[in-house]
Amino acid sequence: MIQWFPGHMAKAKREIEERLRIVDIVFELLDARIPYSSQNPLINELLQGKPKLVLLMKTDLADPKETKLWRENFQREDHQVLEVDALSGFNRNLIIKSSLEILADKIERDRKRGLKARGVRAMIVGIPNVGKSTLINRLVKRKATRVANKPGVTRAQQWISITGELELLDTPGVLWPKFEDHKVGIHLALTGAIRDEIVSSHDLGEYLLNFLRSYYPDNLKERYNLDLKFSNPELIEKIAQDRGFMQSDYEERVYNLLLSEFRNNLLGRITLDRFNQEEE
Ligand SMILES: Nc1nc2c(ncn2[C@@H]2O[C@H](COP(=O)(O)OP(=O)(O)O)[C@@H](O)[C@H]2O)c(=O)[nH]1
Ligand SMILES: [Mg+2]
């Protein structure tokens, strides 16, 4: 996975700025589980007022109540925003329709000027693992781009026709995430946007246990058959016993279990960035 050094960020910024000149609209992908933490810190500076459509990705994994609060918040800020589940509930036409609506004035101006050579042009941007390649594949209706649980490789630029009216740049812009605050780092690591080594699995597991206890106690109780009146060390011991982890390092094994079950979506629909806390 990409390690973001200042030089990499400067290069990514330059490349995206160059490509922005040739697009009419940007699809800004955010992870619905971390709508605050998955925002690039310089996105508004980068876009300079370029029309954008915010796509809250992976809504199938996020808490629907929180997703609604976040969506309404973006809408209050005058952003066009759609909830996207790229895997099982994908609505391609809605994305096309919203893009054309956002650009309706431009399309009409071009038509009046007799310019009707091409469709409007869109580009996808977002942090690693947010679903850029998956979205391209779904919009294009064929397996054109490599989809991996890692950022994609850069290839020659090409326009893909989505409909006669909308074209998509085939290579998405990979944005760097925020680094300024510890909690953001933890949320990015839990959802797989940054590499694990940046925060230890002990700290991630401990955070996740406390987080679930506070916000999703029922998910925790149901999955591990726990009584939440007990302390964390007692809960950890109980999980370890149930799973047969009774060696000396069972705490680490339980934390790793929590992490892997969270990442494999076995703990239910969970939003890490709480709207009421993260809103600025
Ligand atoms: N559950 C779920 N998984 C998704 C969604 N979109 C993408 N993914 C998964 O997220 C991972 C990263 O997706 P990818 O498109 O490679 O992200 P990229 O790094 O931004 O190009 C893959 O395992 C995808 O299957 C979605 O809407 N829902
Ligand atoms: Mg990719």
Side-chain angles (χ1 to χ4, degrees), residues 29 57-61 84-88 126-135 146-152 172 265:
L29 272 53
M57 302 293 292
K58 308 195 188 189
T59 51
D60 55 312
L61 305 180
V84 179
D85 165 1
L87 299 193
S88 52
I127 64 169
N129 222 31
V130 71
K132 298 180 295 298
S133 304
T134 308
L135 180 67
R146 206 171 58 91
V147 180
N149 221 338
K150 301 235 163 75
N265 314 319

mmCIF file of all heavy atoms in Angstrom, residues 29 57-61 84-88 126-135 146-152 172 265, ligand 1:
data_model
loop_
_atom_site.group_PDB
_atom_site.id
_atom_site.type_symbol
_atom_site.label_atom_id
_atom_site.label_comp_id
_atom_site.label_asym_id
_atom_site.label_seq_id
_atom_site.Cartn_x
_atom_site.Cartn_y
_atom_site.Cartn_z
ATOM 1 N N LEU A 29 -15.186 10.276 -3.734
ATOM 2 C CA LEU A 29 -15.612 9.080 -3.016
ATOM 3 C C LEU A 29 -15.207 9.165 -1.547
ATOM 4 O O LEU A 29 -14.041 9.416 -1.229
ATOM 5 C CB LEU A 29 -14.968 7.834 -3.643
ATOM 6 C CG LEU A 29 -15.743 7.193 -4.799
ATOM 7 C CD1 LEU A 29 -16.084 8.210 -5.873
ATOM 8 C CD2 LEU A 29 -14.993 6.014 -5.381
ATOM 9 N N MET A 57 -19.524 5.755 -0.257
ATOM 10 C CA MET A 57 -19.345 4.366 -0.685
ATOM 11 C C MET A 57 -19.510 3.401 0.501
ATOM 12 O O MET A 57 -19.370 3.798 1.653
ATOM 13 C CB MET A 57 -17.940 4.173 -1.259
ATOM 14 C CG MET A 57 -17.604 5.074 -2.431
ATOM 15 S SD MET A 57 -18.588 4.704 -3.893
ATOM 16 C CE MET A 57 -17.961 3.081 -4.344
ATOM 17 N N LYS A 58 -19.714 2.147 0.186
ATOM 18 C CA LYS A 58 -19.779 1.060 1.181
ATOM 19 C C LYS A 58 -20.891 1.291 2.196
ATOM 20 O O LYS A 58 -20.739 0.963 3.381
ATOM 21 C CB LYS A 58 -18.423 0.896 1.906
ATOM 22 C CG LYS A 58 -17.238 0.749 0.932
ATOM 23 C CD LYS A 58 -15.989 0.234 1.613
ATOM 24 C CE LYS A 58 -14.810 0.300 0.656
ATOM 25 N NZ LYS A 58 -13.612 -0.358 1.147
ATOM 26 N N THR A 59 -21.998 1.882 1.739
ATOM 27 C CA THR A 59 -23.107 2.116 2.673
ATOM 28 C C THR A 59 -23.682 0.802 3.192
ATOM 29 O O THR A 59 -24.312 0.787 4.242
ATOM 30 C CB THR A 59 -24.230 2.934 2.015
ATOM 31 O OG1 THR A 59 -24.570 2.318 0.787
ATOM 32 C CG2 THR A 59 -23.805 4.365 1.773
ATOM 33 N N ASP A 60 -23.446 -0.290 2.472
ATOM 34 C CA ASP A 60 -23.920 -1.596 2.957
ATOM 35 C C ASP A 60 -23.203 -1.998 4.246
ATOM 36 O O ASP A 60 -23.706 -2.819 5.001
ATOM 37 C CB ASP A 60 -23.724 -2.676 1.880
ATOM 38 C CG ASP A 60 -22.283 -2.759 1.387
ATOM 39 O OD1 ASP A 60 -21.696 -1.701 1.069
ATOM 40 O OD2 ASP A 60 -21.727 -3.873 1.346
ATOM 41 N N LEU A 61 -22.021 -1.410 4.497
ATOM 42 C CA LEU A 61 -21.267 -1.752 5.706
ATOM 43 C C LEU A 61 -21.496 -0.760 6.839
ATOM 44 O O LEU A 61 -21.143 -1.019 7.980
ATOM 45 C CB LEU A 61 -19.758 -1.786 5.390
ATOM 46 C CG LEU A 61 -19.328 -2.703 4.246
ATOM 47 C CD1 LEU A 61 -17.822 -2.623 4.055
ATOM 48 C CD2 LEU A 61 -19.755 -4.141 4.521
ATOM 49 N N VAL A 84 -23.962 5.004 -1.930
ATOM 50 C CA VAL A 84 -23.626 3.962 -2.905
ATOM 51 C C VAL A 84 -23.290 2.648 -2.200
ATOM 52 O O VAL A 84 -22.554 2.632 -1.221
ATOM 53 C CB VAL A 84 -22.418 4.387 -3.777
ATOM 54 C CG1 VAL A 84 -22.049 3.282 -4.768
ATOM 55 C CG2 VAL A 84 -22.721 5.686 -4.521
ATOM 56 N N ASP A 85 -23.876 1.587 -2.716
ATOM 57 C CA ASP A 85 -23.445 0.236 -2.349
ATOM 58 C C ASP A 85 -23.003 -0.376 -3.667
ATOM 59 O O ASP A 85 -23.825 -0.742 -4.496
ATOM 60 C CB ASP A 85 -24.627 -0.522 -1.731
ATOM 61 C CG ASP A 85 -24.389 -2.018 -1.647
ATOM 62 O OD1 ASP A 85 -23.311 -2.480 -2.051
ATOM 63 O OD2 ASP A 85 -25.310 -2.728 -1.188
ATOM 64 N N ALA A 86 -21.714 -0.423 -3.870
ATOM 65 C CA ALA A 86 -21.204 -0.837 -5.179
ATOM 66 C C ALA A 86 -21.329 -2.336 -5.387
ATOM 67 O O ALA A 86 -21.174 -2.833 -6.495
ATOM 68 C CB ALA A 86 -19.747 -0.408 -5.340
ATOM 69 N N LEU A 87 -21.594 -3.081 -4.320
ATOM 70 C CA LEU A 87 -21.607 -4.533 -4.461
ATOM 71 C C LEU A 87 -22.994 -5.081 -4.775
ATOM 72 O O LEU A 87 -23.219 -5.653 -5.823
ATOM 73 C CB LEU A 87 -21.020 -5.204 -3.220
ATOM 74 C CG LEU A 87 -19.555 -4.849 -2.928
ATOM 75 C CD1 LEU A 87 -18.979 -5.786 -1.891
ATOM 76 C CD2 LEU A 87 -18.694 -4.859 -4.190
ATOM 77 N N SER A 88 -23.962 -4.857 -3.860
ATOM 78 C CA SER A 88 -25.235 -5.547 -4.081
ATOM 79 C C SER A 88 -26.404 -4.639 -4.440
ATOM 80 O O SER A 88 -27.409 -5.118 -4.950
ATOM 81 C CB SER A 88 -25.584 -6.384 -2.849
ATOM 82 O OG SER A 88 -25.518 -5.575 -1.703
ATOM 83 N N GLY A 126 -10.359 9.764 -4.658
ATOM 84 C CA GLY A 126 -10.600 9.254 -3.312
ATOM 85 C C GLY A 126 -9.354 8.614 -2.744
ATOM 86 O O GLY A 126 -8.404 8.323 -3.479
ATOM 87 N N ILE A 127 -9.384 8.390 -1.432
ATOM 88 C CA ILE A 127 -8.229 7.794 -0.756
ATOM 89 C C ILE A 127 -8.149 6.299 -1.119
ATOM 90 O O ILE A 127 -9.108 5.726 -1.644
ATOM 91 C CB ILE A 127 -8.309 7.989 0.773
ATOM 92 C CG1 ILE A 127 -9.518 7.266 1.371
ATOM 93 C CG2 ILE A 127 -8.339 9.481 1.131
ATOM 94 C CD1 ILE A 127 -9.501 7.208 2.905
ATOM 95 N N PRO A 128 -7.010 5.658 -0.840
ATOM 96 C CA PRO A 128 -6.876 4.230 -1.158
ATOM 97 C C PRO A 128 -7.983 3.388 -0.525
ATOM 98 O O PRO A 128 -8.406 3.648 0.603
ATOM 99 C CB PRO A 128 -5.504 3.867 -0.559
ATOM 100 C CG PRO A 128 -4.730 5.137 -0.594
ATOM 101 C CD PRO A 128 -5.743 6.223 -0.313
ATOM 102 N N ASN A 129 -8.432 2.396 -1.304
ATOM 103 C CA ASN A 129 -9.365 1.383 -0.802
ATOM 104 C C ASN A 129 -10.801 1.864 -0.635
ATOM 105 O O ASN A 129 -11.641 1.132 -0.126
ATOM 106 C CB ASN A 129 -8.849 0.839 0.543
ATOM 107 C CG ASN A 129 -9.021 -0.662 0.621
ATOM 108 O OD1 ASN A 129 -8.960 -1.350 -0.394
ATOM 109 N ND2 ASN A 129 -9.263 -1.167 1.804
ATOM 110 N N VAL A 130 -11.112 3.074 -1.063
ATOM 111 C CA VAL A 130 -12.461 3.608 -0.859
ATOM 112 C C VAL A 130 -13.457 3.017 -1.862
ATOM 113 O O VAL A 130 -14.672 3.110 -1.662
ATOM 114 C CB VAL A 130 -12.442 5.153 -0.899
ATOM 115 C CG1 VAL A 130 -12.193 5.680 -2.304
ATOM 116 C CG2 VAL A 130 -13.709 5.741 -0.311
ATOM 117 N N GLY A 131 -12.934 2.418 -2.940
ATOM 118 C CA GLY A 131 -13.821 1.786 -3.925
ATOM 119 C C GLY A 131 -13.756 2.397 -5.315
ATOM 120 O O GLY A 131 -14.678 2.221 -6.121
ATOM 121 N N LYS A 132 -12.669 3.080 -5.624
ATOM 122 C CA LYS A 132 -12.548 3.762 -6.922
ATOM 123 C C LYS A 132 -12.604 2.778 -8.095
ATOM 124 O O LYS A 132 -13.374 2.973 -9.036
ATOM 125 C CB LYS A 132 -11.225 4.565 -6.979
ATOM 126 C CG LYS A 132 -11.147 5.663 -5.923
ATOM 127 C CD LYS A 132 -9.843 6.432 -5.993
ATOM 128 C CE LYS A 132 -8.610 5.621 -5.658
ATOM 129 N NZ LYS A 132 -8.607 5.095 -4.266
ATOM 130 N N SER A 133 -11.790 1.734 -8.030
ATOM 131 C CA SER A 133 -11.753 0.783 -9.148
ATOM 132 C C SER A 133 -13.078 0.039 -9.277
ATOM 133 O O SER A 133 -13.575 -0.195 -10.384
ATOM 134 C CB SER A 133 -10.621 -0.228 -8.952
ATOM 135 O OG SER A 133 -9.396 0.433 -8.795
ATOM 136 N N THR A 134 -13.640 -0.311 -8.132
ATOM 137 C CA THR A 134 -14.936 -1.003 -8.137
ATOM 138 C C THR A 134 -15.997 -0.140 -8.811
ATOM 139 O O THR A 134 -16.775 -0.632 -9.643
ATOM 140 C CB THR A 134 -15.383 -1.300 -6.680
ATOM 141 O OG1 THR A 134 -14.317 -1.959 -6.002
ATOM 142 C CG2 THR A 134 -16.619 -2.159 -6.641
ATOM 143 N N LEU A 135 -15.998 1.145 -8.474
ATOM 144 C CA LEU A 135 -17.005 2.038 -9.059
ATOM 145 C C LEU A 135 -16.813 2.160 -10.569
ATOM 146 O O LEU A 135 -17.796 2.122 -11.324
ATOM 147 C CB LEU A 135 -16.929 3.421 -8.403
ATOM 148 C CG LEU A 135 -17.946 4.420 -8.954
ATOM 149 C CD1 LEU A 135 -19.370 4.016 -8.586
ATOM 150 C CD2 LEU A 135 -17.655 5.836 -8.473
ATOM 151 N N ARG A 146 -8.445 -3.259 -12.934
ATOM 152 C CA ARG A 146 -8.079 -4.226 -11.923
ATOM 153 C C ARG A 146 -8.656 -3.774 -10.578
ATOM 154 O O ARG A 146 -8.469 -2.639 -10.165
ATOM 155 C CB ARG A 146 -6.554 -4.270 -11.812
ATOM 156 C CG ARG A 146 -5.978 -5.577 -11.311
ATOM 157 C CD ARG A 146 -4.469 -5.532 -11.482
ATOM 158 N NE ARG A 146 -3.906 -4.406 -10.755
ATOM 159 C CZ ARG A 146 -3.494 -4.474 -9.507
ATOM 160 N NH1 ARG A 146 -3.583 -5.591 -8.842
ATOM 161 N NH2 ARG A 146 -2.979 -3.408 -8.906
ATOM 162 N N VAL A 147 -9.365 -4.646 -9.902
ATOM 163 C CA VAL A 147 -9.865 -4.298 -8.572
ATOM 164 C C VAL A 147 -9.102 -5.136 -7.571
ATOM 165 O O VAL A 147 -9.053 -6.349 -7.670
ATOM 166 C CB VAL A 147 -11.366 -4.595 -8.430
ATOM 167 C CG1 VAL A 147 -11.841 -4.232 -7.037
ATOM 168 C CG2 VAL A 147 -12.152 -3.822 -9.458
ATOM 169 N N ALA A 148 -8.479 -4.481 -6.617
ATOM 170 C CA ALA A 148 -7.741 -5.206 -5.589
ATOM 171 C C ALA A 148 -7.990 -4.502 -4.282
ATOM 172 O O ALA A 148 -8.500 -3.393 -4.264
ATOM 173 C CB ALA A 148 -6.266 -5.207 -5.910
ATOM 174 N N ASN A 149 -7.600 -5.138 -3.202
ATOM 175 C CA ASN A 149 -7.725 -4.479 -1.905
ATOM 176 C C ASN A 149 -6.531 -3.551 -1.682
ATOM 177 O O ASN A 149 -6.137 -3.266 -0.582
ATOM 178 C CB ASN A 149 -7.825 -5.516 -0.800
ATOM 179 C CG ASN A 149 -8.857 -5.097 0.229
ATOM 180 O OD1 ASN A 149 -9.171 -3.907 0.339
ATOM 181 N ND2 ASN A 149 -9.382 -6.036 0.967
ATOM 182 N N LYS A 150 -5.941 -3.079 -2.744
ATOM 183 C CA LYS A 150 -4.766 -2.212 -2.728
ATOM 184 C C LYS A 150 -5.009 -1.122 -3.772
ATOM 185 O O LYS A 150 -5.773 -1.313 -4.702
ATOM 186 C CB LYS A 150 -3.539 -3.017 -3.186
ATOM 187 C CG LYS A 150 -3.249 -4.221 -2.320
ATOM 188 C CD LYS A 150 -1.816 -4.146 -1.832
ATOM 189 C CE LYS A 150 -1.562 -5.059 -0.666
ATOM 190 N NZ LYS A 150 -1.464 -6.447 -1.067
ATOM 191 N N PRO A 151 -4.296 0.016 -3.651
ATOM 192 C CA PRO A 151 -4.438 1.038 -4.704
ATOM 193 C C PRO A 151 -3.989 0.492 -6.054
ATOM 194 O O PRO A 151 -3.075 -0.313 -6.118
ATOM 195 C CB PRO A 151 -3.507 2.157 -4.241
ATOM 196 C CG PRO A 151 -3.211 1.870 -2.823
ATOM 197 C CD PRO A 151 -3.357 0.412 -2.606
ATOM 198 N N GLY A 152 -4.655 0.926 -7.082
ATOM 199 C CA GLY A 152 -4.383 0.413 -8.423
ATOM 200 C C GLY A 152 -3.090 0.944 -9.007
ATOM 201 O O GLY A 152 -2.441 1.818 -8.449
ATOM 202 N N PRO A 172 -8.454 6.694 -11.818
ATOM 203 C CA PRO A 172 -8.910 7.600 -10.752
ATOM 204 C C PRO A 172 -7.741 8.364 -10.137
ATOM 205 O O PRO A 172 -6.590 7.957 -10.257
ATOM 206 C CB PRO A 172 -9.518 6.649 -9.728
ATOM 207 C CG PRO A 172 -8.838 5.344 -9.940
ATOM 208 C CD PRO A 172 -8.465 5.288 -11.396
ATOM 209 N N ASN A 265 -16.571 -7.845 8.133
ATOM 210 C CA ASN A 265 -17.973 -7.415 8.242
ATOM 211 C C ASN A 265 -18.843 -8.401 9.010
ATOM 212 O O ASN A 265 -20.001 -8.593 8.681
ATOM 213 C CB ASN A 265 -18.551 -7.162 6.845
ATOM 214 C CG ASN A 265 -17.599 -6.359 5.988
ATOM 215 O OD1 ASN A 265 -16.979 -5.422 6.487
ATOM 216 N ND2 ASN A 265 -17.454 -6.724 4.732
HETATM 217 N N1 LIG B 1 -19.042 -3.856 0.960
HETATM 218 C C1 LIG B 1 -18.588 -3.043 -0.005
HETATM 219 N N2 LIG B 1 -17.324 -3.200 -0.434
HETATM 220 C C2 LIG B 1 -16.896 -2.380 -1.416
HETATM 221 C C3 LIG B 1 -17.704 -1.365 -1.995
HETATM 222 N N3 LIG B 1 -16.980 -0.720 -2.926
HETATM 223 C C4 LIG B 1 -15.762 -1.303 -2.920
HETATM 224 N N4 LIG B 1 -15.695 -2.311 -2.015
HETATM 225 C C5 LIG B 1 -14.536 -3.176 -1.683
HETATM 226 O O1 LIG B 1 -13.493 -2.346 -1.187
HETATM 227 C C6 LIG B 1 -12.214 -2.881 -1.554
HETATM 228 C C7 LIG B 1 -11.391 -1.808 -2.237
HETATM 229 O O2 LIG B 1 -12.014 -1.462 -3.477
HETATM 230 P P1 LIG B 1 -11.201 -0.830 -4.690
HETATM 231 O O3 LIG B 1 -12.193 -0.536 -5.745
HETATM 232 O O4 LIG B 1 -10.026 -1.688 -5.057
HETATM 233 O O5 LIG B 1 -10.668 0.528 -4.014
HETATM 234 P P2 LIG B 1 -9.653 1.623 -4.628
HETATM 235 O O6 LIG B 1 -8.339 1.415 -3.928
HETATM 236 O O7 LIG B 1 -10.251 2.934 -4.244
HETATM 237 O O8 LIG B 1 -9.594 1.427 -6.109
HETATM 238 C C8 LIG B 1 -12.512 -4.079 -2.450
HETATM 239 O O9 LIG B 1 -12.402 -5.240 -1.639
HETATM 240 C C9 LIG B 1 -13.954 -3.864 -2.902
HETATM 241 O O10 LIG B 1 -14.635 -5.068 -3.160
HETATM 242 C C10 LIG B 1 -19.059 -1.233 -1.506
HETATM 243 O O11 LIG B 1 -19.854 -0.355 -1.906
HETATM 244 N N5 LIG B 1 -19.438 -2.107 -0.519
#
